[in-house]
Each structure stands twice: as structure tokens, then as C-alpha cells.
Amino acid sequence: MTVVTTNRGMVTVCGPVLNIKNNGGESIEMAAELICLLETAAVTFSGFLSKKYVFLEPDMETKKQRIFYGISFFIIAVAFFVFGIDAAIMAAGVLIGLNICLGRKKHRLRGLFLMVPLLGILNGLLVPIILVPPYLLSLSEQETQVYQLMVYGILFALLILFCVKGRKWRIWFNENMKRRSLRGSEKCLLWLVGILMMFFSNSSIMQIVGDRANEQAAGSSYGPEVMSFIGIGSMAAFIMTITIIVLIVQGNKRSFYHEQVSDMQSGMITFMAEVVENRDDNTGGHIRRTAEYVEDIAKELKRQGVYSDILTDSYMGDMVVAAPLHDIGKIHIPDAVLNKPGKLTDEEFEIMKTHTTAGKELLIHAKEELGESEYLNMAVEMAAYHHEKWNGKGYPYGISGEEIPLCARIMAVADVFDALTSKRCYKDAMPLEKAYAIIREGSGTHFDPVVVDAFFSAAENMKKNKETE
């Protein structure tokens, strides 16, 4: 519903017929009709854009999305010219909700509920801009129409500019924000503001705001104080919404840069680990394979609901990133020991065992230089304890059971499995079934039994990884 105020009364535009309650003539009628059309278009375009760029809801596949846009605009246009602006805006809301449902891969029906805050925010953004300034400035009928046409003109100019000049930004957004989703606090704020804006933008409130300078309003049940409160409240809600949208956009940028830095750090970590691995002629590809095995085992543990208090998404992500650093301490092992083709002597084995404590010290030093981070904390644990055994007979500290950090227990299984099934200069690769038997035999002595169970549940994926090398 659109309200156009005059100094002699009010122009109300709604439904399939335009009812002009004044003496303005045909030009006022045409202007009012144009304003209604522009409002419908503004709500529709803003809704589809907000769905993607504010609510961060994914689109369908490109071709299907374009077809959906075409059908939607046709339906909305028919609804406008046949039933009026209220029906058109309602159709826009339903179609935007349907688009959200179809774009999602899960929880699709929840997308329909997003229509409530979405439409509230859209109407709440438009109503204060369109109606409150004329109310506060006591503009005449013609001045109000000119003002409203100017506002819609600016909005559509910005839309065209976004379509023409914003291509690079849209490509950047699609590539870098596809894994971004609204946090719980952001969702709550949008819902709160959406409901608030629905209140300030419903038909009765619009009627009150449009009743500003009408001398005939003396008989209205609303006094000037109430109308002033509505006007001020609408502007306050408008400013609040803009602020929240800006905060979400800033959150998108922070998320992107955080992910970019994390990717860079992960790449540097892998590079450092590969530099160390290249000194060891025996372990080509070891760090990448063990990282994959660690991820497979961790996912299986989480699927089974085991260690659920530890295996959060962030813990698992940090563990996979930190896994390549588990042998970083080998940089301190002499080449004569590291690349010896035969069996190590007792003295040489004692030297080899120091790669655990050396790795721990290196990573602690890295933390001191780079600052505290969860993945470096986990890298310290994996480097120091991945040769500890469940029964306490491992090295370097001889700790046992759950004293050993979970990440190191998972790494222990992945490390031994890869060592058994990979070719080294002093041995051939062991057949998978024999390697499986050794891992199974070590359950409860060398390895955490729960981790071993998860290992065998995920073994099929590991087998595929080995076969594709």
C-alpha cells in the first residue's frame, strides 16, 4: 500500500483500481500509479539482492536461477496490474521465500520463515525514506510526488550501477563468501529488526504518518505526539537496520580476510613441512597422506558421537592444518640417521626419537614469534606426543591413555598406518591386510581402541586414497 499525502487530503493507491481522493487530475493519478509500480519493483529487486548479499542465502544453479528470475518478475507484474500493489508485494515475498528454499541444500522449509524479517526490513527501509521526510518537512502533494520519484530514481540508478559496475565484486563475493553463513547473533538481530520494521511499516502506521498536516485530521484518534513518535521511531528503526546490514557486510569482509590469512598460513605450514620431508628420502608424500587419514578418522569419530565434547568443527579444522607439522623436528636429525637404508642402532634410534621434543621446541618458539593460535597449540601436541602409546610404553614422556591428547592419538594411528603401507628405502610397502592386522593388534596397547575402531570404519576411504596414488 502506498500513501501519497496532499494539503487537501490523502491519495490512497491500492488494489486494481486507483482511488484518487482529491482534485489533482490525471497527472497526479499517473504519478501515483508510477510510484506504486516503482515501489513494487524496488521491493522485488531489493528482496532478491538482500536474500543473497545480506541474508547470505545461496542461489540455484546459474541457468535455473535466471529462469526463476524471469518467471518471478512475470508473476509479480501480472499480480500488480490485475490485483494491485499489495498482491504484487505479497507475490514477491512468496517467490523470494521459494527461491531461498530451492537454493538451499538442506533445511529448505526454514527458508520460508525468512520472508518475515526480510519483508519487514525491505518495507521498513523504504517507508521511512518515502514517507517520513515529507511528513517532517510538510511537503505539498506535488512536492511529495516529486520527492518520491527522485528517491526511486536514485535507487534504480544505484541498481543499474551495481549491475554494470559491480560484476567484479559479485564474482569476488560468489567465490569467497560461498562458505560464509550468518552467525546466530546476526540472525537474531535481523529477526528482531525485521519484526520491528514490520510494525513501523504496516498499513495503519503508514496511514498515520501520511496524516501529518491534514487540517481534517483533528477528528483522528491519533494525536500529533503519537504521529511524531511513529515518525521518529521509523527513522530510528531505519538507522538500526542500516547499521546491522553494514555490520554484516563488515563481517563478510572479516570472514574473507580471515579465511585468506588462514589459507596462507596453511600453505606456509605445508611448505615448511615439505622442506623437512624432502630431507627424508624415505617419506615422500607422507605428510599429505597422514593429514588425509587424520581427517578421515576424526570425521568418523564425530559421526559416531565419540569424543563429541572435543571434536568441534574448529578443533577438527585445526587438527588437519596442524597434522603436516608432526615430524617437523626431523629437521634436527642428521642425514646419516634420517636416511640410513638399514635398521637403526640403539644409539641412532635414541637420536631419531629426539625429533618429537625437537619439534615441540620449534613450534613453541614459533608460537612465541607468531602469537598464540589454536592450530599451533595442536601442532605442538601432535609433534610431541604422536609416538606415545596407549599403554604408556611410548616416547618421549611415557604417558598413557587419555593423558595423550586426542589429536596425537589420532595421528599415531595415521602415522603408523602410512609407514606400514608406504615403500621406504629399507623396505617395501606392506600389503593392506597385513597392515590392518598390525593396527588391530595394537588396539589397547599402542593405540586408543576407540580411535582404532574409527580407523577401520573409515578404512575404505583410506584404501581408495592408496589405490589412486
Side-chain angles (χ1 to χ4, degrees), residues 60-122:
M60 295 184 284
E61 184 270 327
T62 304
K63 187 176 180 180
K64 293 180 180 179
Q65 185 66 43
R66 289 175 180 171
I67 294 173
F68 187 89
Y69 281 150
I71 294 173
S72 297
F73 295 144
F74 174 76
I75 292 173
I76 293 166
V78 170
F80 176 82
F81 289 110
V82 176
F83 300 105
I85 184 173
D86 288 343
I89 291 178
M90 185 178 296
V94 172
L95 288 166
I96 292 168
L98 180 61
N99 191 211
I100 293 173
C101 294
L102 295 175
R104 289 182 166 198
K105 292 182 179 179
K106 58 182 181 179
H107 306 308
R108 290 189 168 184
L109 291 179
R110 294 184 189 177
L112 292 174
F113 292 100
L114 286 180
M115 288 189 298
V116 177
L118 181 59
L119 287 178
I121 287 171
L122 293 178

Short mmCIF file of all heavy atoms in Angstrom, two decimals, residues 60-122:
data_model
loop_
_atom_site.label_atom_id
_atom_site.label_comp_id
_atom_site.label_asym_id
_atom_site.label_seq_id
_atom_site.Cartn_x
_atom_site.Cartn_y
_atom_site.Cartn_z
N MET A 60 20.29 -20.74 -6.85
CA MET A 60 20.28 -22.02 -7.54
C MET A 60 21.38 -22.03 -8.59
O MET A 60 22.11 -21.05 -8.76
CB MET A 60 18.90 -22.23 -8.20
CG MET A 60 17.75 -22.34 -7.22
SD MET A 60 16.19 -22.69 -8.05
CE MET A 60 15.81 -21.07 -8.72
N GLU A 61 21.51 -23.14 -9.30
CA GLU A 61 22.45 -23.19 -10.43
C GLU A 61 22.11 -22.06 -11.40
O GLU A 61 20.95 -21.70 -11.59
CB GLU A 61 22.32 -24.57 -11.09
CG GLU A 61 23.29 -24.81 -12.22
CD GLU A 61 22.76 -24.39 -13.57
OE1 GLU A 61 21.52 -24.49 -13.80
OE2 GLU A 61 23.58 -23.91 -14.38
N THR A 62 23.13 -21.46 -12.02
CA THR A 62 23.00 -20.19 -12.75
C THR A 62 21.84 -20.18 -13.74
O THR A 62 21.01 -19.25 -13.73
CB THR A 62 24.32 -19.88 -13.49
OG1 THR A 62 25.39 -19.86 -12.55
CG2 THR A 62 24.23 -18.52 -14.17
N LYS A 63 21.75 -21.18 -14.58
CA LYS A 63 20.70 -21.20 -15.60
C LYS A 63 19.32 -21.28 -14.96
O LYS A 63 18.39 -20.55 -15.34
CB LYS A 63 20.91 -22.38 -16.55
CG LYS A 63 19.96 -22.40 -17.73
CD LYS A 63 20.29 -23.54 -18.68
CE LYS A 63 19.32 -23.55 -19.87
NZ LYS A 63 19.63 -24.66 -20.80
N LYS A 64 19.18 -22.13 -13.96
CA LYS A 64 17.90 -22.27 -13.27
C LYS A 64 17.52 -20.98 -12.55
O LYS A 64 16.35 -20.59 -12.52
CB LYS A 64 17.94 -23.43 -12.27
CG LYS A 64 18.06 -24.80 -12.91
CD LYS A 64 18.10 -25.88 -11.85
CE LYS A 64 18.21 -27.27 -12.48
NZ LYS A 64 18.29 -28.34 -11.45
N GLN A 65 18.55 -20.29 -11.98
CA GLN A 65 18.29 -19.05 -11.27
C GLN A 65 17.76 -17.98 -12.22
O GLN A 65 16.84 -17.24 -11.89
CB GLN A 65 19.57 -18.56 -10.59
CG GLN A 65 19.39 -17.33 -9.72
CD GLN A 65 18.52 -17.57 -8.50
OE1 GLN A 65 18.66 -18.60 -7.86
NE2 GLN A 65 17.62 -16.66 -8.20
N ARG A 66 18.33 -17.90 -13.41
CA ARG A 66 17.86 -16.91 -14.39
C ARG A 66 16.43 -17.19 -14.83
O ARG A 66 15.62 -16.27 -14.99
CB ARG A 66 18.79 -16.91 -15.60
CG ARG A 66 20.17 -16.30 -15.30
CD ARG A 66 21.10 -16.43 -16.49
NE ARG A 66 22.41 -15.84 -16.20
CZ ARG A 66 23.47 -15.96 -16.97
NH1 ARG A 66 23.38 -16.66 -18.11
NH2 ARG A 66 24.62 -15.39 -16.64
N ILE A 67 16.14 -18.47 -15.04
CA ILE A 67 14.75 -18.84 -15.41
C ILE A 67 13.80 -18.47 -14.28
O ILE A 67 12.71 -17.94 -14.52
CB ILE A 67 14.68 -20.35 -15.72
CG1 ILE A 67 15.48 -20.67 -16.98
CG2 ILE A 67 13.22 -20.78 -15.89
CD1 ILE A 67 15.61 -22.15 -17.27
N PHE A 68 14.23 -18.72 -13.04
CA PHE A 68 13.40 -18.39 -11.89
C PHE A 68 13.15 -16.89 -11.82
O PHE A 68 12.03 -16.46 -11.54
CB PHE A 68 14.07 -18.88 -10.60
CG PHE A 68 13.20 -18.73 -9.37
CD1 PHE A 68 12.35 -19.75 -9.00
CD2 PHE A 68 13.23 -17.57 -8.62
CE1 PHE A 68 11.54 -19.63 -7.88
CE2 PHE A 68 12.42 -17.43 -7.50
CZ PHE A 68 11.58 -18.46 -7.13
N TYR A 69 14.18 -16.07 -12.06
CA TYR A 69 14.02 -14.63 -12.06
C TYR A 69 12.98 -14.21 -13.10
O TYR A 69 12.10 -13.40 -12.83
CB TYR A 69 15.35 -13.93 -12.38
CG TYR A 69 16.31 -13.85 -11.22
CD1 TYR A 69 17.69 -13.85 -11.43
CD2 TYR A 69 15.86 -13.76 -9.91
CE1 TYR A 69 18.58 -13.77 -10.38
CE2 TYR A 69 16.75 -13.69 -8.84
CZ TYR A 69 18.11 -13.69 -9.09
OH TYR A 69 18.99 -13.61 -8.04
N GLY A 70 13.11 -14.76 -14.31
CA GLY A 70 12.17 -14.39 -15.38
C GLY A 70 10.73 -14.72 -15.03
O GLY A 70 9.83 -13.88 -15.20
N ILE A 71 10.51 -15.93 -14.52
CA ILE A 71 9.15 -16.34 -14.14
C ILE A 71 8.63 -15.47 -12.99
O ILE A 71 7.47 -15.05 -12.98
CB ILE A 71 9.14 -17.83 -13.74
CG1 ILE A 71 9.47 -18.70 -14.96
CG2 ILE A 71 7.78 -18.23 -13.16
CD1 ILE A 71 9.64 -20.17 -14.63
N SER A 72 9.50 -15.19 -12.02
CA SER A 72 9.10 -14.39 -10.86
C SER A 72 8.67 -12.99 -11.26
O SER A 72 7.61 -12.50 -10.83
CB SER A 72 10.26 -14.30 -9.86
OG SER A 72 10.60 -15.57 -9.36
N PHE A 73 9.46 -12.32 -12.10
CA PHE A 73 9.12 -10.96 -12.50
C PHE A 73 7.82 -10.93 -13.30
O PHE A 73 7.03 -9.99 -13.19
CB PHE A 73 10.27 -10.35 -13.31
CG PHE A 73 11.54 -10.15 -12.51
CD1 PHE A 73 12.78 -10.33 -13.08
CD2 PHE A 73 11.48 -9.82 -11.16
CE1 PHE A 73 13.93 -10.16 -12.35
CE2 PHE A 73 12.62 -9.65 -10.41
CZ PHE A 73 13.85 -9.82 -11.01
N PHE A 74 7.59 -11.98 -14.10
CA PHE A 74 6.34 -12.05 -14.86
C PHE A 74 5.14 -12.19 -13.91
O PHE A 74 4.13 -11.48 -14.05
CB PHE A 74 6.39 -13.23 -15.83
CG PHE A 74 5.09 -13.46 -16.57
CD1 PHE A 74 4.73 -12.64 -17.63
CD2 PHE A 74 4.24 -14.49 -16.20
CE1 PHE A 74 3.53 -12.84 -18.30
CE2 PHE A 74 3.05 -14.69 -16.86
CZ PHE A 74 2.69 -13.86 -17.92
N ILE A 75 5.25 -13.09 -12.92
CA ILE A 75 4.16 -13.31 -11.97
C ILE A 75 3.87 -12.04 -11.17
O ILE A 75 2.72 -11.65 -10.96
CB ILE A 75 4.50 -14.48 -11.02
CG1 ILE A 75 4.52 -15.79 -11.80
CG2 ILE A 75 3.49 -14.56 -9.87
CD1 ILE A 75 5.01 -16.98 -10.98
N ILE A 76 4.93 -11.37 -10.73
CA ILE A 76 4.76 -10.15 -9.94
C ILE A 76 4.12 -9.04 -10.77
O ILE A 76 3.25 -8.31 -10.28
CB ILE A 76 6.13 -9.69 -9.38
CG1 ILE A 76 6.64 -10.72 -8.36
CG2 ILE A 76 6.03 -8.32 -8.72
CD1 ILE A 76 8.09 -10.56 -8.00
N ALA A 77 4.52 -8.93 -12.04
CA ALA A 77 3.92 -7.92 -12.92
C ALA A 77 2.44 -8.19 -13.13
O ALA A 77 1.61 -7.26 -13.07
CB ALA A 77 4.66 -7.90 -14.26
N VAL A 78 2.07 -9.43 -13.36
CA VAL A 78 0.65 -9.78 -13.54
C VAL A 78 -0.13 -9.47 -12.26
O VAL A 78 -1.24 -8.89 -12.32
CB VAL A 78 0.51 -11.28 -13.90
CG1 VAL A 78 -0.96 -11.71 -13.84
CG2 VAL A 78 1.08 -11.54 -15.29
N ALA A 79 0.43 -9.83 -11.11
CA ALA A 79 -0.24 -9.56 -9.84
C ALA A 79 -0.45 -8.06 -9.64
O ALA A 79 -1.51 -7.63 -9.16
CB ALA A 79 0.58 -10.13 -8.68
N PHE A 80 0.53 -7.25 -10.05
CA PHE A 80 0.41 -5.80 -9.88
C PHE A 80 -0.72 -5.23 -10.76
O PHE A 80 -1.59 -4.49 -10.27
CB PHE A 80 1.73 -5.12 -10.23
CG PHE A 80 1.67 -3.62 -10.16
CD1 PHE A 80 1.81 -2.96 -8.95
CD2 PHE A 80 1.44 -2.86 -11.30
CE1 PHE A 80 1.73 -1.58 -8.88
CE2 PHE A 80 1.37 -1.48 -11.25
CZ PHE A 80 1.51 -0.84 -10.03
N PHE A 81 -0.72 -5.55 -12.03
CA PHE A 81 -1.68 -4.94 -12.95
C PHE A 81 -3.09 -5.51 -12.80
O PHE A 81 -4.06 -4.85 -13.15
CB PHE A 81 -1.19 -5.09 -14.39
CG PHE A 81 0.00 -4.22 -14.71
CD1 PHE A 81 1.24 -4.78 -14.92
CD2 PHE A 81 -0.14 -2.84 -14.78
CE1 PHE A 81 2.34 -3.98 -15.19
CE2 PHE A 81 0.95 -2.03 -15.06
CZ PHE A 81 2.21 -2.60 -15.26
N VAL A 82 -3.20 -6.72 -12.26
CA VAL A 82 -4.52 -7.32 -12.11
C VAL A 82 -5.09 -7.08 -10.71
O VAL A 82 -6.26 -6.71 -10.56
CB VAL A 82 -4.47 -8.83 -12.42
CG1 VAL A 82 -5.83 -9.48 -12.15
CG2 VAL A 82 -4.04 -9.07 -13.86
N PHE A 83 -4.26 -7.26 -9.67
CA PHE A 83 -4.76 -7.20 -8.30
C PHE A 83 -4.25 -6.02 -7.50
O PHE A 83 -4.76 -5.73 -6.42
CB PHE A 83 -4.39 -8.50 -7.56
CG PHE A 83 -4.96 -9.73 -8.20
CD1 PHE A 83 -4.15 -10.58 -8.94
CD2 PHE A 83 -6.32 -10.03 -8.09
CE1 PHE A 83 -4.66 -11.72 -9.54
CE2 PHE A 83 -6.85 -11.17 -8.68
CZ PHE A 83 -6.02 -12.01 -9.41
N GLY A 84 -3.20 -5.35 -7.95
CA GLY A 84 -2.70 -4.19 -7.24
C GLY A 84 -1.40 -4.43 -6.51
O GLY A 84 -0.86 -5.54 -6.47
N ILE A 85 -0.90 -3.38 -5.88
CA ILE A 85 0.43 -3.41 -5.28
C ILE A 85 0.53 -4.36 -4.11
O ILE A 85 1.55 -5.05 -3.93
CB ILE A 85 0.85 -1.98 -4.87
CG1 ILE A 85 2.29 -2.00 -4.33
CG2 ILE A 85 -0.10 -1.38 -3.86
CD1 ILE A 85 2.85 -0.63 -4.06
N ASP A 86 -0.51 -4.46 -3.28
CA ASP A 86 -0.45 -5.36 -2.12
C ASP A 86 -0.25 -6.81 -2.57
O ASP A 86 0.56 -7.54 -2.01
CB ASP A 86 -1.73 -5.24 -1.29
CG ASP A 86 -1.78 -3.92 -0.52
OD1 ASP A 86 -0.72 -3.29 -0.40
OD2 ASP A 86 -2.87 -3.54 -0.07
N ALA A 87 -1.00 -7.23 -3.58
CA ALA A 87 -0.87 -8.60 -4.10
C ALA A 87 0.49 -8.82 -4.73
O ALA A 87 1.09 -9.88 -4.59
CB ALA A 87 -1.97 -8.88 -5.12
N ALA A 88 1.00 -7.79 -5.42
CA ALA A 88 2.30 -7.92 -6.08
C ALA A 88 3.42 -8.08 -5.06
O ALA A 88 4.32 -8.92 -5.23
CB ALA A 88 2.56 -6.70 -6.96
N ILE A 89 3.37 -7.28 -4.00
CA ILE A 89 4.41 -7.37 -2.97
C ILE A 89 4.31 -8.70 -2.22
O ILE A 89 5.32 -9.32 -1.87
CB ILE A 89 4.33 -6.17 -2.02
CG1 ILE A 89 4.75 -4.89 -2.76
CG2 ILE A 89 5.20 -6.38 -0.78
CD1 ILE A 89 4.69 -3.64 -1.95
N MET A 90 3.08 -9.16 -1.99
CA MET A 90 2.90 -10.46 -1.36
C MET A 90 3.47 -11.57 -2.25
O MET A 90 4.16 -12.49 -1.76
CB MET A 90 1.42 -10.72 -1.08
CG MET A 90 1.17 -12.00 -0.30
SD MET A 90 -0.59 -12.24 0.05
CE MET A 90 -0.90 -10.82 1.10
N ALA A 91 3.23 -11.47 -3.57
CA ALA A 91 3.77 -12.46 -4.50
C ALA A 91 5.30 -12.42 -4.50
O ALA A 91 5.96 -13.46 -4.54
CB ALA A 91 3.25 -12.20 -5.91
N ALA A 92 5.85 -11.21 -4.41
CA ALA A 92 7.31 -11.07 -4.36
C ALA A 92 7.88 -11.77 -3.13
O ALA A 92 8.88 -12.49 -3.22
CB ALA A 92 7.71 -9.60 -4.37
N GLY A 93 7.21 -11.59 -1.99
CA GLY A 93 7.68 -12.23 -0.76
C GLY A 93 7.65 -13.74 -0.86
O GLY A 93 8.61 -14.42 -0.46
N VAL A 94 6.56 -14.29 -1.41
CA VAL A 94 6.44 -15.74 -1.55
C VAL A 94 7.51 -16.28 -2.50
O VAL A 94 8.15 -17.31 -2.23
CB VAL A 94 5.04 -16.11 -2.05
CG1 VAL A 94 4.96 -17.60 -2.40
CG2 VAL A 94 3.98 -15.76 -1.00
N LEU A 95 7.73 -15.57 -3.61
CA LEU A 95 8.72 -16.04 -4.59
C LEU A 95 10.14 -15.95 -4.05
O LEU A 95 10.98 -16.81 -4.34
CB LEU A 95 8.58 -15.22 -5.88
CG LEU A 95 7.31 -15.53 -6.68
CD1 LEU A 95 7.06 -14.46 -7.74
CD2 LEU A 95 7.43 -16.91 -7.34
N ILE A 96 10.42 -14.92 -3.27
CA ILE A 96 11.75 -14.81 -2.66
C ILE A 96 11.94 -15.96 -1.66
O ILE A 96 13.00 -16.59 -1.62
CB ILE A 96 11.93 -13.45 -1.96
CG1 ILE A 96 11.98 -12.33 -3.00
CG2 ILE A 96 13.21 -13.44 -1.12
CD1 ILE A 96 11.88 -10.94 -2.41
N GLY A 97 10.90 -16.25 -0.87
CA GLY A 97 10.97 -17.38 0.05
C GLY A 97 11.16 -18.70 -0.68
O GLY A 97 11.95 -19.55 -0.25
N LEU A 98 10.45 -18.87 -1.80
CA LEU A 98 10.60 -20.09 -2.60
C LEU A 98 12.01 -20.20 -3.16
O LEU A 98 12.60 -21.28 -3.19
CB LEU A 98 9.57 -20.09 -3.74
CG LEU A 98 9.59 -21.29 -4.68
CD1 LEU A 98 9.31 -22.58 -3.92
CD2 LEU A 98 8.57 -21.11 -5.81
N ASN A 99 12.57 -19.06 -3.59
CA ASN A 99 13.93 -19.05 -4.11
C ASN A 99 14.93 -19.46 -3.03
O ASN A 99 15.90 -20.19 -3.30
CB ASN A 99 14.26 -17.65 -4.63
CG ASN A 99 15.55 -17.61 -5.43
OD1 ASN A 99 16.26 -16.61 -5.45
ND2 ASN A 99 15.89 -18.70 -6.10
N ILE A 100 14.71 -19.00 -1.80
CA ILE A 100 15.58 -19.39 -0.69
C ILE A 100 15.51 -20.91 -0.47
O ILE A 100 16.53 -21.58 -0.30
CB ILE A 100 15.18 -18.65 0.60
CG1 ILE A 100 15.48 -17.14 0.46
CG2 ILE A 100 15.91 -19.22 1.82
CD1 ILE A 100 14.96 -16.30 1.60
N CYS A 101 14.29 -21.45 -0.50
CA CYS A 101 14.11 -22.89 -0.30
C CYS A 101 14.83 -23.70 -1.37
O CYS A 101 15.51 -24.68 -1.08
CB CYS A 101 12.63 -23.25 -0.29
SG CYS A 101 11.70 -22.55 1.09
N LEU A 102 14.67 -23.29 -2.64
CA LEU A 102 15.25 -24.03 -3.75
C LEU A 102 16.77 -23.90 -3.80
O LEU A 102 17.46 -24.78 -4.29
CB LEU A 102 14.64 -23.56 -5.07
CG LEU A 102 13.15 -23.83 -5.25
CD1 LEU A 102 12.63 -23.22 -6.54
CD2 LEU A 102 12.87 -25.33 -5.24
N GLY A 103 17.29 -22.77 -3.31
CA GLY A 103 18.74 -22.57 -3.32
C GLY A 103 19.47 -23.35 -2.26
O GLY A 103 20.67 -23.62 -2.39
N ARG A 104 18.77 -23.72 -1.20
CA ARG A 104 19.40 -24.45 -0.09
C ARG A 104 19.54 -25.93 -0.43
O ARG A 104 18.74 -26.49 -1.16
CB ARG A 104 18.57 -24.32 1.18
CG ARG A 104 18.60 -22.92 1.79
CD ARG A 104 17.79 -22.90 3.06
NE ARG A 104 18.04 -21.70 3.85
CZ ARG A 104 17.74 -21.58 5.12
NH1 ARG A 104 17.15 -22.57 5.76
NH2 ARG A 104 18.01 -20.46 5.77
N LYS A 105 20.56 -26.56 0.19
CA LYS A 105 20.73 -27.99 0.05
C LYS A 105 20.11 -28.75 1.22
O LYS A 105 19.86 -29.95 1.13
CB LYS A 105 22.21 -28.33 -0.05
CG LYS A 105 22.85 -27.82 -1.35
CD LYS A 105 24.31 -28.22 -1.45
CE LYS A 105 24.91 -27.72 -2.75
NZ LYS A 105 26.35 -28.07 -2.88
N LYS A 106 19.88 -28.05 2.33
CA LYS A 106 19.23 -28.67 3.48
C LYS A 106 18.43 -27.60 4.23
O LYS A 106 18.62 -26.41 4.00
CB LYS A 106 20.25 -29.34 4.40
CG LYS A 106 21.33 -28.40 4.93
CD LYS A 106 22.32 -29.16 5.80
CE LYS A 106 23.39 -28.25 6.37
NZ LYS A 106 24.33 -28.97 7.24
N HIS A 107 17.55 -28.06 5.11
CA HIS A 107 16.68 -27.16 5.89
C HIS A 107 15.92 -26.21 4.96
O HIS A 107 15.84 -25.01 5.21
CB HIS A 107 17.50 -26.35 6.90
CG HIS A 107 18.34 -27.19 7.82
ND1 HIS A 107 17.82 -28.23 8.54
CD2 HIS A 107 19.67 -27.12 8.10
CE1 HIS A 107 18.79 -28.79 9.26
NE2 HIS A 107 19.92 -28.14 9.01
N ARG A 108 15.39 -26.74 3.90
CA ARG A 108 14.78 -25.88 2.88
C ARG A 108 13.52 -25.17 3.38
O ARG A 108 13.32 -23.99 3.08
CB ARG A 108 14.45 -26.71 1.63
CG ARG A 108 15.69 -27.15 0.88
CD ARG A 108 15.35 -27.79 -0.46
NE ARG A 108 16.55 -27.95 -1.27
CZ ARG A 108 16.53 -28.41 -2.51
NH1 ARG A 108 15.38 -28.78 -3.05
NH2 ARG A 108 17.65 -28.53 -3.19
N LEU A 109 12.70 -25.88 4.15
CA LEU A 109 11.45 -25.27 4.59
C LEU A 109 11.69 -24.09 5.53
O LEU A 109 10.86 -23.19 5.62
CB LEU A 109 10.57 -26.32 5.27
CG LEU A 109 9.99 -27.39 4.33
CD1 LEU A 109 9.15 -28.38 5.13
CD2 LEU A 109 9.14 -26.75 3.23
N ARG A 110 12.83 -24.10 6.21
CA ARG A 110 13.15 -22.97 7.09
C ARG A 110 13.29 -21.67 6.29
O ARG A 110 13.13 -20.59 6.85
CB ARG A 110 14.45 -23.24 7.84
CG ARG A 110 14.37 -24.39 8.84
CD ARG A 110 15.68 -24.49 9.60
NE ARG A 110 15.73 -25.70 10.42
CZ ARG A 110 16.78 -26.06 11.14
NH1 ARG A 110 17.87 -25.31 11.14
NH2 ARG A 110 16.75 -27.17 11.84
N GLY A 111 13.60 -21.81 5.02
CA GLY A 111 13.76 -20.61 4.18
C GLY A 111 12.49 -19.79 4.10
O GLY A 111 12.54 -18.56 3.94
N LEU A 112 11.33 -20.46 4.20
CA LEU A 112 10.07 -19.72 4.13
C LEU A 112 9.93 -18.74 5.29
O LEU A 112 9.35 -17.66 5.14
CB LEU A 112 8.90 -20.71 4.15
CG LEU A 112 8.75 -21.59 2.89
CD1 LEU A 112 7.64 -22.60 3.10
CD2 LEU A 112 8.46 -20.74 1.66
N PHE A 113 10.48 -19.09 6.45
CA PHE A 113 10.37 -18.22 7.62
C PHE A 113 11.19 -16.95 7.46
O PHE A 113 10.95 -15.96 8.14
CB PHE A 113 10.80 -18.98 8.88
CG PHE A 113 9.86 -20.08 9.26
CD1 PHE A 113 10.16 -21.40 8.94
CD2 PHE A 113 8.68 -19.82 9.92
CE1 PHE A 113 9.30 -22.42 9.28
CE2 PHE A 113 7.81 -20.84 10.27
CZ PHE A 113 8.12 -22.15 9.95
N LEU A 114 12.17 -16.97 6.55
CA LEU A 114 12.99 -15.77 6.34
C LEU A 114 12.20 -14.66 5.66
O LEU A 114 12.64 -13.52 5.63
CB LEU A 114 14.22 -16.11 5.50
CG LEU A 114 15.33 -16.88 6.20
CD1 LEU A 114 16.49 -17.13 5.25
CD2 LEU A 114 15.83 -16.12 7.42
N MET A 115 11.04 -15.00 5.09
CA MET A 115 10.22 -13.95 4.46
C MET A 115 9.76 -12.92 5.49
O MET A 115 9.59 -11.75 5.15
CB MET A 115 8.99 -14.57 3.79
CG MET A 115 9.30 -15.36 2.53
SD MET A 115 7.78 -15.84 1.68
CE MET A 115 7.00 -16.87 2.89
N VAL A 116 9.57 -13.36 6.73
CA VAL A 116 9.05 -12.44 7.75
C VAL A 116 10.04 -11.29 8.01
O VAL A 116 9.70 -10.13 7.81
CB VAL A 116 8.70 -13.19 9.04
CG1 VAL A 116 8.24 -12.21 10.11
CG2 VAL A 116 7.64 -14.24 8.78
N PRO A 117 11.27 -11.58 8.44
CA PRO A 117 12.20 -10.46 8.66
C PRO A 117 12.61 -9.78 7.37
O PRO A 117 12.86 -8.58 7.35
CB PRO A 117 13.40 -11.13 9.34
CG PRO A 117 13.35 -12.55 8.92
CD PRO A 117 11.90 -12.87 8.81
N LEU A 118 12.68 -10.54 6.27
CA LEU A 118 13.11 -9.96 5.00
C LEU A 118 12.15 -8.90 4.52
O LEU A 118 12.53 -7.76 4.20
CB LEU A 118 13.28 -11.06 3.95
CG LEU A 118 13.75 -10.60 2.56
CD1 LEU A 118 15.09 -9.89 2.66
CD2 LEU A 118 13.85 -11.77 1.61
N LEU A 119 10.87 -9.22 4.48
CA LEU A 119 9.87 -8.25 4.04
C LEU A 119 9.77 -7.09 5.02
O LEU A 119 9.57 -5.93 4.62
CB LEU A 119 8.50 -8.92 3.86
CG LEU A 119 8.37 -9.84 2.64
CD1 LEU A 119 6.98 -10.47 2.62
CD2 LEU A 119 8.63 -9.09 1.35
N GLY A 120 9.91 -7.40 6.31
CA GLY A 120 9.88 -6.33 7.30
C GLY A 120 11.00 -5.34 7.09
O GLY A 120 10.81 -4.12 7.12
N ILE A 121 12.20 -5.85 6.83
CA ILE A 121 13.35 -4.98 6.61
C ILE A 121 13.20 -4.18 5.33
O ILE A 121 13.48 -2.97 5.28
CB ILE A 121 14.65 -5.83 6.58
CG1 ILE A 121 14.98 -6.28 8.01
CG2 ILE A 121 15.81 -5.06 5.98
CD1 ILE A 121 16.10 -7.28 8.10
N LEU A 122 12.71 -4.83 4.26
CA LEU A 122 12.56 -4.12 2.98
C LEU A 122 11.54 -2.98 3.10
O LEU A 122 11.79 -1.84 2.70
CB LEU A 122 12.13 -5.10 1.89
CG LEU A 122 13.17 -6.15 1.49
CD1 LEU A 122 12.60 -7.07 0.44
CD2 LEU A 122 14.43 -5.49 0.98
#
